Amino acid sequence: MEKAKILYVNQEVYPYVRESKEAMVGRYLPQAVQEAGSEIRMFTPRFGCINERRNQLHEVLRLSGMNIVINEADHPLIIKVSSIQAARMQIYFIDNEEYFHKKNMLVDKNNMPYADTDEKLIFFARGVLEAIKKLSWIPDIVHCNGWFTSLVPFYIRKAYHEHPAFSKVKIISSVFPGKGYDGAMSGDLLGKLQSDKMATKDVGEKYAPFNYEKLCQFAVDYSDGVVLTDKAAGLAPALVKSLTAAKKPTLDYPGESGFTMACGKFYEKFLPHEK
């Protein structure tokens, strides 16, 4: 039987960044799924705190070299790669000097998103999907982990849906406990999505202003399934309400020891029967 192909789009991956729920899922879930027999690819942002020399990152020239246009400005896309030798896994990093070289990864010292976070989200989502196009690799499932990945389902469904790599793909989004960040995102994410020639102009006003819960809801609405990485009691009440209303196939958190195995079983709901 042909191996299932799973694309992981991760907000964080340990040990490249500090330990967190998102980083640990980003590190160990792909390994477990690969060891169970699936073929995987992994992408994450190349945050400024990631030491390139220590982690042996190097640029992938055949994937780099294009510009992504955001708000009528060109932004160079650089893609780097590193390996976790013990797990036999490669990790691709989406990089751009303007967007990803700040000291803090996701938020400022006040736990608020940076002013350019809206553009970072767009750049990261489109950077991953452009890289997959160049890899000529067709995933069966795209699994997005963390709020920073929340635009990926939207772009697949509205901008890349006619490309062979994404025309039949199923999308799963993980929802993590906590608030993610404080307040609402600055900038005009809604306007930039509406004006993006790659996407659609009818993005619903219900998502603005984009805060953590609205970004998660945005990802879920364009996904085929949802994975809870903690008990529902640990999620923001507004997020629980939106998840209930979405009525998407959902993997309830089975506990830490059974999480990776449960995810593997959950994927089977979305894979073609011939897999």
Side-chain angles (χ1 to χ4, degrees):
M1 294 177 64
E2 186 181 350
K3 289 183 177 181
K5 297 179 179 179
I6 316 296
L7 169 61
Y8 289 96
V9 187
N10 294 320
Q11 173 177 300
E12 305 167 41
V13 178
Y14 179 83
Y16 299 97
V17 302
R18 71 193 187 286
E19 185 174 330
S20 67
K21 187 81 172 184
E22 291 85 350
M24 301 308 280
V25 169
R27 165 63 179 85
Y28 291 106
L29 176 58
Q31 178 180 348
V33 170
Q34 178 175 259
E35 290 175 350
S38 294
E39 185 177 332
I40 69 164
R41 298 288 187 275
M42 297 172 58
F43 283 81
T44 193
R46 207 297 272 176
F47 292 116
C49 62
I50 297 174
N51 187 299
E52 291 198 4
R53 182 184 294 257
R54 183 171 64 243
N55 292 294
Q56 299 182 350
L57 272 67
H58 61 272
E59 185 175 350
V60 185
L61 295 177
R62 70 186 179 96
L63 300 180
S64 301
M66 71 171 291
N67 288 335
I68 292 179
V69 179
I70 302 175
N71 209 24
E72 300 184 352
D74 288 341
H75 302 274
L77 172 63
I78 305 297
I79 298 177
K80 297 172 181 176
V81 69
S82 179
S83 297
I84 298 178
Q85 297 293 342
R88 298 182 180 180
M89 294 193 306
Q90 279 192 329
I91 297 94
Y92 292 98
F93 294 82
I94 299 297
D95 197 8
N96 174 273
E97 186 173 353
E98 177 185 357
Y99 287 142
F100 295 116
H101 287 205
K102 294 181 175 67
K103 182 178 180 180
N104 291 345
M105 294 195 306
L106 300 166
V107 295
D108 63 20
K109 62 182 180 180
N110 297 315
N111 201 42
M112 292 290 292
Y114 289 107
D116 62 354
T117 296
D118 56 344
E119 296 190 4
K120 288 180 187 176
L121 295 176
I122 294 172
F123 184 90
F124 178 64
R126 288 183 51 191
V128 169
L129 302 181
E130 291 294 337
I132 291 297
K133 286 169 57 178
K134 287 190 176 184
L135 282 172
S136 299
W137 185 77
I138 301 177
D140 297 301
I141 292 174
V142 176
H143 190 163
C144 300
N145 290 298
W147 67 264
F148 201 83
T149 72
S150 58
L151 299 192
V152 172
F154 166 78
Y155 271 102
I156 290 176
R157 293 291 180 240
K158 293 299 183 179
Y160 291 79
H161 59 284
E162 294 182 350
H163 192 277
F166 305 108
S167 61
K168 297 180 180 180
V169 75
K170 299 298 183 181
I171 307 170
I172 295 172
S173 287
S174 290
V175 178
F176 289 83
K179 295 189 299 181
Y181 62 83
D182 293 332
M185 188 182 302
S186 60
D188 185 19
L189 177 56
L190 183 64
K192 289 167 184 173
L193 291 175
Q194 290 172 334
S195 64
D196 190 345
K197 294 178 181 179
M198 290 290 297
T200 181
K201 295 185 178 181
D202 61 354
V203 185
E205 294 286 343
K206 69 176 182 177
Y207 301 109
F210 280 90
N211 57 19
Y212 172 69
E213 289 83 4
K214 292 291 182 65
L215 272 179
C216 292
Q217 181 185 351
F218 192 60
V220 168
D221 285 350
Y222 287 98
S223 297
D224 298 289
V226 181
V227 170
L228 301 184
T229 64
D230 205 333
K231 295 179 180 179
L235 304 176
L239 191 50
V240 174
K241 183 178 179 180
S242 67
L243 290 174
T244 302
K247 297 181 180 180
K248 300 288 177 80
T250 300
L251 173 64
D252 292 324
Y253 183 59
E256 185 174 349
S257 61
F259 180 72
T260 56
M261 183 177 293
C263 282
K265 293 287 185 181
F266 188 61
Y267 293 160
E268 294 176 5
K269 297 176 180 289
F270 305 95
L271 291 171
H273 292 301
E274 60 268 23
K275 292 290 182 182

